[in-house]
């Protein structure tokens, strides 16, 4: 959720505090870790952060393309067929047309945001720290934006077409 992404963003700001002169001196004073060990742990933590965000973002793209996008397109097709059938029969489906426009707009936005997230993962940096900042400043916001679009689609796509567990299903497991 949003809180989880926010905590991951804050990690990049918090980790450098581990290798300040004061922190290293404190670890050494109480014989917990020496300077080399503190820096080694810091580097491992930054790499772990990078790998975690990368895996989560790649999984988000995969789920978006494999599950949510096909459901959104199928629903748009169903609504479009309904609007076309009403029109062919000589009627007008003003609300149906509005719904079709809404579904189409949300689906297009969802696909654009999926592509943006995927493109943001094609990144290299001269250091693990700079890569972590890219994840914080670019990838996590792209994940949050995609999640927002997915939530909007979930709210209008019928239950039988939605391929993933809904919030309601997760909260009230039978």
């Amino acid at each position: 959720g949003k809180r989880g992404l926010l905590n991951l963003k804050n990690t990049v700001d918090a980790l450098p505090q581990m290798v300040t002169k004061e922190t290293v001196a404190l670890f050494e004073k109480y014989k917990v870790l020496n300077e080399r060990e503190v820096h080694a742990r810091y580097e491992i933590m930054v790499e772990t952060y990078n790998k975690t965000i990368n895996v989560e973002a790649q999984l988000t793209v995969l789920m978006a393309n494999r599950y949510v996008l096909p459901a959104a397109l199928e629903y748009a097709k169903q609504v479009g067929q309904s609007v076309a059938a009403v029109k062919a029969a000589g009627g007008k489906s003003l609300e149906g047309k509005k719904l079709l426009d809404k579904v189409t707009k949300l689906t297009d936005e969802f696909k654009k945001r999926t592509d943006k997230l995927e493109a943001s993962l094609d990144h290299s940096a001269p250091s693990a720290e700079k890569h972590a900042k890219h994840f914080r400043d670019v990838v996590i916001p792209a994940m949050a934006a995609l999640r927002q679009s997915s939530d909007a689609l979930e709210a209008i796509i019928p239950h039988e077409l939605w391929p993933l567990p809904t919030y309601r299903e997760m909260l009230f497991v039978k």
Side-chain angles (χ1 to χ4, degrees):
K2 287 181 185 177
R3 184 174 292 149
L5 288 176
L6 187 58
N7 287 341
L8 287 171
K9 281 183 82 169
N10 293 338
T11 300
V12 176
D13 296 324
L15 280 176
Q17 297 306 309
M18 185 175 175
V19 290
T20 62
K21 287 180 182 177
E22 296 81 9
T23 304
V24 171
L26 190 65
F27 276 121
E28 286 184 328
K29 177 181 176 183
Y30 292 103
K31 298 184 184 342
V32 176
L33 299 169
N34 64 34
E35 183 175 4
R36 186 179 52 79
E37 292 168 329
V38 171
H39 280 277
R41 288 206 181 190
Y42 166 74
E43 289 170 20
I44 289 168
M45 291 171 104
V46 171
E47 284 295 335
T48 300
Y49 171 85
N50 289 345
K51 287 178 183 173
T52 300
I53 300 299
N54 188 47
V55 167
E56 287 188 11
Q58 286 186 17
L59 182 60
T60 300
V61 169
L62 179 94
M63 290 176 67
N65 285 324
R66 189 174 291 173
Y67 299 106
V68 178
L69 184 61
L73 292 171
E74 176 60 29
Y75 185 52
K77 181 179 99 176
Q78 289 180 9
V79 175
Q81 288 172 341
S82 173
V83 170
V86 169
K87 185 176 181 180
K92 277 190 177 179
S93 179
L94 297 177
E95 293 304 315
K97 180 72 172 96
K98 283 182 190 174
L99 177 59
L100 179 59
D101 290 344
K102 181 177 182 177
V103 173
T104 302
K105 181 182 173 197
L106 285 172
T107 302
D108 287 349
E109 176 187 75
F110 180 81
K111 181 59 175 146
K112 285 178 190 169
R113 289 179 174 183
T114 301
D115 293 346
K116 184 177 180 180
L117 174 58
E118 189 170 21
S120 75
L121 292 172
D122 186 19
H123 176 265
S124 60
S127 69
E129 291 86 357
K130 287 194 175 164
H131 204 50
K133 287 178 181 175
H134 171 76
F135 280 126
R136 178 194 66 197
D137 297 338
V138 179
V139 174
I140 289 177
M143 287 173 69
L146 181 55
R147 172 68 182 267
Q148 186 180 37
S149 292
S150 180
D151 288 349
L153 286 167
E154 180 185 334
I156 61 170
I157 293 177
H159 180 76
E160 61 272 7
L161 292 180
W162 190 254
L164 302 169
T166 63
Y167 284 126
R168 183 177 178 84
E169 289 170 335
M170 288 186 281
L171 288 173
F172 303 104
V173 178
K174 293 180 183 178

